[in-house]
Amino acid sequence: MRIFTVDSFTDRPFRGNPAAVCLLDDTVPDEWMQAVAAEMRHSETAFVLREGDGPLSLRWFTPAVEVALCGHATLAAAHVLYSLGESGRLEFATKSGVLATEQTGDGLIAMDFPAKPATPGTPPDGLVEALGVTPVWTGRSEFDLLVEVGSVAEVRAVDPDMERLTGVEARGVIVTASGEGTSADYVSRFFAPRAGVPEDPVTGSAHCVLAPYWSARLGRDALVGEQVSERGGTVRTTLRPTPQGDRVELAGHAVTIWSGELEV
């Protein structure tokens, strides 16, 4: 079975968010996929399986757990398939429904994801202390907590107490601020120690929360988000209302770093 490492949400190698992509020849046990993800040690490893003529099966595993939604590893999987000769619209059957990707003329890959808006609420016990910030706004989406702070500098300066943050009940915590003074509309960082990922470099699924939040704040559907982790990366988002519920188009570049074959 072929396996790849791809840097997502960047057009330069060794930036953005690395993901492994494994192209399965057949069904395999969940325990095997979890073991491969732990071996790869990226924040997520994507497993792709073609079964018949329908959508491709796509699952994502961190080194510790399976997750229900992952943007950068979906981008990585689509990038690999397009690089191997696939074209047009690709559809993936996932735990978050059918997700689709398409290439655009400027080298971007656009992904159709569900919006995951956050509802306002009181910060759970321990969150503010673990982050060491003064929130402007806090809320919770289906998977994650969202915390807005007052400036880009505050987002960059966040240095969480990971042990305390692990005790906060959520898949992850998104810290965000307006991108005023930068080339982006908003900036963010994402911490998920409960999922085995202390800080994720660039998080597509977090932008399913960020896009509806900042679109409402800024009054525009099309935005540019910058994740200001050490590696950094750019996610272009477009909020698209539909009768079945809001969707978010996430678009970014990707770069293959290496490819090989699994011997086991």
Side-chain angles (χ1 to χ4, degrees):
M1 287 180 278
R2 297 194 67 183
I3 193 164
F4 304 75
T5 287
V6 174
D7 288 344
S8 294
F9 294 117
T10 182
D11 57 4
R12 291 184 291 161
F14 314 122
R15 301 281 291 175
N17 199 354
V21 178
C22 180
L23 303 182
L24 299 174
D25 293 334
D26 205 343
T27 55
V28 294
D30 290 3
E31 294 79 10
W32 184 88
M33 288 187 282
Q34 186 65 75
V36 171
E39 186 83 3
M40 297 306 298
R41 301 181 70 180
H42 294 309
S43 56
E44 269 86 12
T45 296
F47 295 88
V48 182
L49 177 64
R50 188 182 297 278
E51 298 177 292
D53 297 327
L56 293 92
S57 170
L58 175 61
R59 295 173 69 181
W60 312 279
F61 288 78
T62 79
V65 297
E66 184 176 9
V67 294
L69 186 65
C70 180
H72 84 280
T74 302
L75 178 60
H79 169 78
V80 166
L81 293 170
Y82 289 132
S83 299
L84 295 176
E86 297 281 353
S87 61
R89 177 183 172 91
L90 298 178
E91 292 188 340
F92 299 94
T94 78
K95 290 194 170 184
S96 290
V98 175
L99 307 178
T101 68
E102 292 190 80
Q103 288 178 303
T104 67
D106 52 6
L108 289 167
I109 295 174
M111 305 182 292
D112 175 34
F113 270 46
K116 300 291 184 182
T119 55
T122 303
D125 291 345
L127 175 65
V128 172
E129 295 79 5
L131 292 175
V133 301
T134 301
V136 172
W137 188 95
T138 60
R140 183 182 287 273
S141 71
E142 181 180 352
F143 302 126
D144 305 313
L145 292 164
L146 179 63
V147 179
E148 183 188 354
V149 296
S151 69
V152 174
E154 288 179 68
V155 176
R156 292 186 184 276
V158 175
D159 184 17
D161 180 329
M162 290 298 175
E163 184 175 350
R164 296 183 76 171
L165 197 60
T166 302
V168 176
E169 191 173 340
R171 181 193 69 159
V173 177
I174 308 162
V175 182
T176 188
S178 165
E180 185 176 357
T182 75
S183 60
D185 294 300
Y186 61 88
V187 301
S188 66
R189 290 172 68 190
F190 183 79
F191 307 98
R194 285 175 70 97
V197 184
E199 181 171 6
D200 197 34
V202 194
T203 315
S205 62
H207 288 75
C208 296
V209 184
L210 290 161
Y213 180 76
W214 285 109
S215 289
R217 289 283 303 276
L218 300 175
R220 289 184 283 118
D221 289 339
L223 302 172
V224 176
E226 191 75 21
Q227 199 150 330
V228 291
S229 63
E230 183 178 350
R231 289 175 65 104
T234 302
V235 184
R236 292 162 176 82
T237 67
T238 306
L239 188 65
R240 301 192 186 282
T242 74
Q244 293 75 36
D246 287 354
R247 307 288 294 181
V248 177
E249 179 186 283
L250 307 175
H253 294 91
V255 181
T256 299
I257 301 301
W258 63 264
S259 64
E261 293 183 352
L262 282 171
E263 298 288 343
V264 180

